[in-house]
C-alpha cells in the first residue's frame, strides 16, 4: 500500500487558483491515477490540520503494509518543523510533491523545511507529480 497525503487547501483543487493548480479536482485525478496504476493499492488522506497530518504520518510509519508516502504538505511545507520531525521519525520513505514549481513562486514559498527530511522532491509537474512519485517509490521498494 502507498499513501498520498495532501495538506491544507488541496481539497479545493479544481476551483482554487486554476491558473496555478489547474481545473481538475483531486478526486477526479485520483480515480485516473488508480486506473493508470491498477497494480498499486493507493490510500488517500487530506487534512487542513497539521496535527491530523502528523497523526497520519505516524500511523503510516507504524504500518508494515505501507511501502511509501507521497505527500504534498502545501503551506506547511514552508514552516512546519513538526511535520518535518514526523517524517524524520518514521522509516517509511516520503516523497514530497508540489503541483506548482515552488522555486518559481513567491520568495516565502521557495524553501521547504519538510524536503530536508524527505527522500525526494518533485515540483512543477502538475498533478502528474503524484504518479511520478509513486513510480519512484515502487522502484525504491523493489531495490530493498
Amino acid at each position: 500500500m502507498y499513501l498520498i497525503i495532501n495538506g491544507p487547501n488541496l481539497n479545493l483543487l479544481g476551483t482554487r487558483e486554476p491558473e496555478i493548480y489547474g481545473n481538475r479536482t483531486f478526486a477526479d485525478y485520483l480515480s485516473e491515477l488508480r486506473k493508470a496504476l491498477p497494480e498499486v493499492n493507493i490510500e488517500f488522506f487530506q487534512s487542513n490540520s497539521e496535527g491530523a497530518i502528523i497523526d497520519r504520518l505516524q500511523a503510516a510509519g507504524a504500518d508494515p503494509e505501507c511501502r511509501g508516502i507521497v505527500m504534498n504538505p502545501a503551506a506547511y511545507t514552508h514552516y512546519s518543523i513538526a511535520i518535518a520531525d514526523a517524517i524524520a521519525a518514521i522509516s517509511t520513505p516520503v516523497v514530497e510533491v508540489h503541483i506548482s514549481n515552488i522555486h518559481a513562486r513567491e520568495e516565502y514559498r521557495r524553501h521547504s523545511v519538510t524536503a530536508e527530511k524527505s527522500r525526494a522532491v518533485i515540483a512543477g509537474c502538475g498533478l502528474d507529480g503524484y504518479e511520478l512519485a509513486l513510480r519512484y517509490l515502487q522502484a525504491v521498494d523493489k531495490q530493498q
Side-chain angles (χ1 to χ4, degrees), residues 97-124:
V97 170
H98 297 285
I99 297 166
S100 67
N101 179 356
I102 63 171
H103 304 288
R105 297 196 54 200
E106 303 91 339
E107 185 65 34
Y108 67 91
R109 293 187 195 272
R110 295 179 187 169
H111 179 72
S112 170
V113 298
T114 50
E116 296 170 22
K117 305 299 181 182
S118 298
R119 178 83 178 249
V121 177
I122 299 170

Side-chain angles (χ1 to χ4, degrees), residues 34-83:
R34 286 181 169 139
K35 288 177 187 170
L37 300 171
E39 74 284 3
V40 179
N41 177 12
I42 302 169
E43 289 190 14
F44 173 67
F45 178 79
Q46 188 280 326
S47 181
N48 294 321
S49 169
E50 183 178 32
I53 292 168
I54 292 166
D55 289 343
R56 191 63 186 101
L57 280 166
Q58 291 176 354
D63 181 352
E65 298 298 313
C66 186
R67 309 305 302 157
I69 301 166
V70 176
M71 183 175 66
N72 185 338
Y76 291 132
T77 299
H78 316 293
Y79 67 87
S80 181
I81 302 302
I83 290 176

